[in-house]
């Protein structure tokens, strides 16, 4: 089978591994939520997550100033709210009210949890050495929450330009990993 050239501008959609998250921040009395798909696990214990937040995003300044956030993991049922949050700015809009998302107090950070999300990870920024160059933050997960009532979780995975893949079938194979 012959391969053909693929546009570099579309490589993102080939590599994007994790679910789209809803990042929440709180700064100067204002909570905000933004979709984020540029993230990666960096360590198992303690859980470390690397993520990129554009310097153009309203959430960037809040994350840089407060050094804390919540990574909320939505399911496919929140697809329209997720996209709506990405198409608007929290600078002039309360995205929680506008898109029917319920903020709940976190245990260890000022940023709120999103009640409708399957899981919520309270985080603090532990490394900012790559922020000025790449907008790359390293987060430590302090507390993790899940909704035990949800048995079948279908997350969204961004493929670029408004296209998403929905996680589906789960398989389990023998592994020596703990």
């Amino acid at each position: 089978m012959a391969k053909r050239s693929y546009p570099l501008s579309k490589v993102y959609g080939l590599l994007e591994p994790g679910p789209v998250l809803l990042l929440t921040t709180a700064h100067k009395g204002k909570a905000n939520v933004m979709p984020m798909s540029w993230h990666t696990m960096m360590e198992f214990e303690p859980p470390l997550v690397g993520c990129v937040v554009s310097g153009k995003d309203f959430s960037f300044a809040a994350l840089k100033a407060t050094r804390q956030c919540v990574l909320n993991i939505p399911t496919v049922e929140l697809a329209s709210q997720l996209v709506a949050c990405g198409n608007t700015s929290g600078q002039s809009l309360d995205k929680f009210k506008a898109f029917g998302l319920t903020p709940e107090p976190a245990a260890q950070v000022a940023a709120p949890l999103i009640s409708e999300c399957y899981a919520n990870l309270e985080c603090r920024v532990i490394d900012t050495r790559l922020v000025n160059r790449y907008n790359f933050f390293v987060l430590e997960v302090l507390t993790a929450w899940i909704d035990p009532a949800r048995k079948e979780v279908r997350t969204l995975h961004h493929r670029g330009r408004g296209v998403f893949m929905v996680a589906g079938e789960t398989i389990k194979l023998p592994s020596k990993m703990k």
Side-chain angles (χ1 to χ4, degrees):
M1 177 160 142
K3 302 264 180 170
R4 66 179 171 93
S5 176
Y6 194 70
L8 295 178
S9 63
K10 294 184 178 185
V11 168
Y12 162 83
L14 296 173
L15 294 176
E16 182 54 41
V20 178
L21 306 176
L22 288 170
L23 172 85
T24 53
T25 54
H27 185 48
K28 296 183 179 179
K30 186 167 185 168
N32 191 41
V33 56
M34 66 161 269
M36 179 179 70
S37 57
W38 290 1
H39 57 82
T40 186
M41 285 300 303
M42 297 178 70
E43 183 58 80
F44 293 109
E45 291 182 48
L48 299 181
V49 178
C51 66
V52 173
V53 178
S54 171
K56 298 175 186 173
D57 288 328
F58 182 62
S59 296
F60 179 86
L63 184 58
K64 194 169 180 182
T66 65
R67 299 176 64 97
Q68 54 182 249
C69 65
V70 177
L71 301 177
N72 301 276
I73 304 175
T75 56
V76 69
E77 293 81 13
L78 292 175
S80 62
Q81 290 101 317
L82 183 142
V83 171
C85 284
N87 288 332
T88 56
S89 172
Q91 194 160 12
S92 57
L93 177 71
D94 180 340
K95 294 183 188 183
F96 287 94
K97 286 183 183 173
F99 305 122
L101 299 172
T102 309
E104 288 188 6
Q108 296 193 50
V109 299
L113 310 177
I114 298 175
S115 179
E116 292 80 8
C117 286
Y118 162 69
N120 316 87
L121 311 174
E122 297 182 34
C123 301
R124 71 173 172 194
V125 176
I126 62 164
D127 192 337
T128 59
R129 288 177 285 181
L130 296 176
V131 170
N132 289 338
R133 187 164 186 170
Y134 298 109
N135 298 335
F136 188 86
F137 295 86
V138 178
L139 311 174
E140 178 181 0
V141 178
L142 305 172
T143 305
W145 309 95
I146 64 160
D147 180 351
R150 292 192 166 169
K151 301 301 178 199
E152 191 168 316
V153 177
R154 296 174 55 224
T155 54
L156 294 160
H157 302 256
H158 193 232
R159 301 292 302 273
R161 295 177 170 74
V163 176
F164 295 85
M165 179 177 66
V166 177
E169 182 181 357
T170 300
I171 63 172
K172 183 171 171 88
L173 303 172
S175 173
K176 294 183 180 183
M177 301 296 292
K178 63 176 181 168

